[in-house]
Amino acid sequence: MSAASCLLSEDQFLCSICLDVFTDPVSTPCGHNFCKNCINQHWNSNVQYLCPLCKKVFNTRPELHINTLFSEVVSQFRQEAQQKTSSSSSEQQAAKPGEVPCDVCTGTKLKALKSCLVCLTSYCQTHLEPHLTKSVLKRHQLMDPVENLEDRMCMKHDKPLELFCKTDQTCVCMLCSVLDHKTHEFVPLKEEYEGKKAELGKTEAEIQEMIQKRRLKIQEIKHSVDLSEEAADREKAESVQVFTALKESVERSLNELIETIEEKQRTTEKQAEDFIRELEQEISELKKRSSEVEKLSHSEDYFHFLQHFPSLKAAPPTKDWTEVSVHPSYEGTVVRSVAQLEETLSKQMKKLFETELKRVQQYAVDVTLDPDTAHPKLILSDDGKQVYCGDVKKNLPNNPERFSLCHCVLGKSFSSDKFYFEVQVKEKTGWALGVVKESINRKRIIKTRPQVGYWTICLRNGNEYMGCTSPTVRLSLKSRPQKVGVFVDYEEGLVSFYDVDAAALIYSFTDCSFTEKLYPYFNPYKNDGGINSAPLIICPVNQTV
């Protein structure tokens, strides 16, 4: 039969009425073949009984008989066509690398359509048929095809992992729930999956929020760089104006100053670039994590979901950028450079100091004295703005914060990187001002110097101004300060002191290494029989210099 069918073309097995392969082929008296149902319907709808092909008219409706031989040939043709179609379909559905193959197929493994958690077997469309038709197999749990189904079996009891132990946060089988985990809390995998999926949605929202915050931080840093560039331009312009008319020696100072400013700008830009690069890397990592979260959130594989959920739920390895910012710092740059020039620059220096003082005064803070730190002889005003040394030692609690031997008191700390305050020292013959680190020793007398956490200046014997370093630096001042301004730039490592009325720099500590909180420091010195009885007064900052 197969040889006979091969001699005929496909068209010869098609009914001329339905244009499909013959079904129950019958022959008319004129010798033409049609599907039995097709020719009957044709004659039922026409008055004349004629052949659709040769148009021969029959006076009476012919009696139709099945063409036995031709019917067998058609049947053979149909089988061969189905086999070819099946073979072609098999080639198209053969499992590709990365796809789950059918565990039942021999030879070429077809792509699996479903995996059975009861049989622990993956099936292609053909071998899946019994699970779709037989009532016993219909009760089995089918899922999208997965590899390594044995991993979904309890290694101890050889039963499917169908429950989730909330106590141990792991997948268990039915026997585990009554034996090894009998006192624990259990839920079906699906229930735990749905709960964890909801949590994963929250995680995704949190990640997106983190990404948005970092994008905003990038914008903030870029804006800071723009401000830094503007500040640098202004600084260079002022510098050029000051040094234009100077001789060769002064021009060298100008070049050095500009180079310092530009180096600060480069450092600022480099810092910003590093921050942006780190932020973009975090965004990239968060996007990757977001993609993994999204992919996992759409998974209906309970086991896979629960196995990977803890790693994605964990907090991303990211940095807290809340306090990170780029702040250009040019305070004191021009001042320290011009201070080294000859006396002929005094007018230009005066102008520069005034500008400088206005700039640092923008960082003014409201300083209040902390009575818990005050030495027992010190007398503080009710508003915490004045302090002087009395003659009587008060009976106060000797708490750890309080100075026991030095006549000192601290102001409260500030969280800002830059801060400025002013103190009136009028009519005093001795005082010390500045900032100190939190961990200084407050129970004994020590030398006040940066090495032990003091950045201060002082007045002794009515006319000796000192920078409290090691060794002490004697300060030559043109006028006696009545009001002292203290400016701190934590990131820059700078502490500067100003004569506010003269708009002059008194002294600066540079390249400081701050690692702790800094506190304003006040020492009014002893009363000295009433000669030094005037108080140190914290003044409101007047920015009209």
Side-chain angles (χ1 to χ4, degrees):
M1 284 294 180
S2 177
S5 64
C6 290
L7 298 176
L8 300 173
S9 67
E10 182 177 351
D11 292 340
Q12 292 173 294
F13 294 96
L14 301 181
C15 171
S16 61
I17 297 177
C18 66
L19 301 179
D20 201 353
V21 179
F22 286 106
T23 301
D24 299 328
V26 295
S27 299
T28 61
C30 57
H32 294 115
N33 296 304
F34 304 96
C35 295
K36 182 178 180 181
N37 187 51
C38 291
I39 189 63
N40 280 329
Q41 288 184 355
H42 177 72
W43 283 342
N44 289 340
S45 61
N46 290 279
V47 176
Q48 289 183 320
Y49 302 118
L50 54 80
C51 175
L53 286 178
C54 66
K55 307 303 181 182
K56 179 177 176 61
V57 178
F58 304 104
N59 295 327
T60 61
R61 183 166 181 156
E63 183 177 356
L64 300 174
H65 299 283
I66 293 177
N67 188 332
T68 305
L69 178 59
F70 186 67
S71 180
E72 291 179 358
V73 174
V74 170
S75 178
Q76 180 67 24
F77 174 81
R78 187 186 294 277
Q79 289 180 0
E80 291 179 357
Q82 289 178 346
Q83 289 176 357
K84 290 180 180 179
T85 302
S86 176
S87 175
S88 174
S89 177
S90 296
E91 291 177 1
Q92 293 177 2
Q93 296 183 3
K96 299 176 182 178
E99 295 180 337
V100 179
C102 174
D103 293 329
V104 182
C105 287
T106 59
T108 301
K109 295 283 189 179
L110 300 185
K111 176 183 176 181
L113 295 184
K114 292 291 181 180
S115 295
C116 177
L117 291 178
V118 178
C119 303
L120 294 180
T121 305
S122 297
Y123 298 103
C124 65
Q125 184 173 3
T126 301
H127 295 117
L128 181 65
E129 188 67 22
H131 277 75
L132 303 177
T133 57
K134 294 185 179 181
S135 59
V136 176
L137 297 179
K138 281 184 178 180
R139 292 194 293 267
H140 287 192
Q141 185 176 354
L142 297 178
M143 62 179 296
D144 290 338
V146 293
E147 293 183 314
N148 303 323
L149 283 166
E150 61 274 8
D151 291 345
R152 297 164 188 269
M153 296 292 289
C154 178
M155 297 180 64
K156 185 173 183 180
H157 304 113
D158 198 29
K159 297 291 183 182
L161 298 172
E162 301 177 90
L163 299 175
F164 186 80
C165 176
K166 296 180 73 68
T167 305
D168 291 342
Q169 292 292 298
T170 186
C171 298
V172 297
C173 70
M174 288 294 186
L175 286 179
C176 288
S177 67
V178 297
L179 296 176
D180 304 329
H181 301 254
K182 60 183 179 180
T183 61
H184 294 178
E185 180 183 357
F186 301 93
V187 293
L189 289 183
K190 183 177 181 180
E191 181 179 333
E192 184 66 16
Y193 158 82
E194 291 174 347
K196 288 291 194 295
K197 187 173 182 179
E199 289 185 34
L200 205 60
K202 295 180 181 179
T203 301
E204 165 67 7
E206 291 171 358
I207 291 176
Q208 291 299 328
E209 183 179 356
M210 293 173 70
I211 291 174
Q212 183 61 25
K213 286 182 178 179
R214 279 150 182 77
R215 284 175 174 162
L216 292 175
K217 179 59 69 173
I218 288 177
Q219 294 178 4
E220 178 186 332
I221 291 175
K222 288 181 177 179
H223 180 63
S224 297
V225 172
D226 292 338
L227 294 178
S228 173
E229 187 174 359
E230 293 175 3
D233 291 340
R234 290 194 303 269
E235 198 77 9
K236 287 189 288 184
E238 292 176 3
S239 302
V240 171
Q241 182 180 4
V242 170
F243 287 94
T244 297
L246 300 181
K247 295 181 180 181
E248 183 178 355
S249 61
V250 179
E251 291 176 348
R252 283 196 302 268
S253 298
L254 171 62
N255 293 333
E256 293 173 359
L257 175 61
I258 292 177
E259 178 59 30
T260 299
I261 296 170
E262 292 178 339
E263 179 60 30
K264 287 179 178 293
Q265 173 61 15
R266 287 193 293 270
T267 300
T268 300
E269 291 178 346
K270 177 63 169 56
Q271 183 185 32
E273 290 173 359
D274 292 342
F275 285 158
I276 291 172
R277 188 181 303 109
E278 189 174 352
L279 282 163
E280 289 176 341
Q281 182 178 354
E282 286 196 12
I283 288 174
S284 176
E285 293 174 356
L286 288 169
K287 283 183 176 179
K288 180 180 177 182
R289 189 180 184 95
S290 175
S291 177
E292 293 173 355
V293 169
E294 181 180 4
K295 182 179 178 181
L296 185 62
S297 67
H298 288 89
S299 172
E300 296 181 358
D301 180 350
Y302 309 151
F303 180 83
H304 175 79
F305 181 95
L306 294 174
Q307 289 294 98
H308 291 80
F309 174 85
S311 62
L312 293 179
K313 175 61 179 174
T318 55
K319 178 178 179 179
D320 181 5
W321 291 91
T322 304
E323 301 299 328
V324 175
S325 59
V326 176
H327 293 298
S329 178
Y330 300 101
E331 291 78 16
T333 304
V334 179
V335 173
R336 292 190 298 274
S337 178
V338 175
Q340 300 173 7
L341 299 179
E342 299 175 357
E343 185 66 25
T344 55
L345 300 178
S346 58
K347 291 183 180 180
Q348 291 87 340
M349 290 177 64
K350 172 69 172 178
K351 185 182 297 183
L352 288 172
F353 282 128
E354 289 177 351
T355 302
E356 184 75 10
L357 186 57
K358 287 181 181 179
R359 187 176 299 154
V360 300
Q361 284 177 332
Q362 296 176 2
Y363 301 101
V365 294
D366 183 15
V367 176
T368 303
L369 301 175
D370 184 356
D372 291 337
T373 66
H375 183 276
K377 275 193 175 183
L378 295 184
I379 299 175
L380 277 60
S381 63
D382 293 339
D383 61 1
K385 298 295 184 180
Q386 301 185 29
V387 59
Y388 66 93
C389 187
D391 296 324
V392 179
K393 186 175 182 180
K394 298 187 291 295
N395 184 18
L396 298 175
N398 188 22
N399 50 287
E401 298 85 4
R402 190 178 306 282
F403 287 91
S404 298
L405 298 179
C406 296
H407 298 80
C408 311
V409 61
L410 301 183
K412 296 181 180 179
S413 178
F414 300 96
S415 59
S416 55
D417 290 337
K418 300 178 183 180
F419 60 90
Y420 173 85
F421 60 94
E422 293 179 353
V423 182
Q424 179 179 302
V425 295
K426 185 178 181 180
E427 299 180 357
K428 292 193 66 61
T429 58
W431 50 261
L433 294 172
V435 293
V436 297
K437 68 181 183 180
E438 185 175 27
S439 63
I440 57 170
N441 191 314
R442 309 182 189 194
K443 300 304 179 183
R444 62 187 179 92
I445 297 178
I446 57 176
K447 290 185 178 181
T448 56
R449 58 185 186 273
Q451 289 83 348
V452 294
Y454 287 77
W455 293 270
T456 63
I457 61 172
C458 67
L459 168 65
R460 299 173 184 171
N461 303 320
N463 60 1
E464 297 177 2
Y465 293 94
M466 305 287 183
C468 299
T469 63
S470 182
T472 301
V473 176
R474 183 179 292 272
L475 305 177
S476 298
L477 305 183
K478 292 183 178 181
S479 60
R480 182 184 179 90
Q482 303 296 300
K483 187 185 296 183
V484 176
V486 183
F487 173 71
V488 176
D489 187 332
Y490 196 97
E491 292 295 331
E492 184 70 11
L494 172 69
V495 181
S496 293
F497 299 85
Y498 297 88
D499 181 338
V500 177
D501 297 326
L505 178 68
I506 297 175
Y507 187 74
S508 286
F509 293 91
T510 60
D511 299 323
C512 306
S513 180
F514 300 132
T515 58
E516 302 178 23
K517 287 183 178 180
L518 297 181
Y519 292 81
Y521 170 85
F522 305 85
N523 187 338
Y525 280 19
K526 293 181 179 180
N527 192 335
D528 195 16
I531 299 176
N532 191 36
S533 61
L536 291 174
I537 303 174
I538 302 171
C539 304
V541 175
N542 181 3
Q543 299 183 18
T544 60
V545 177

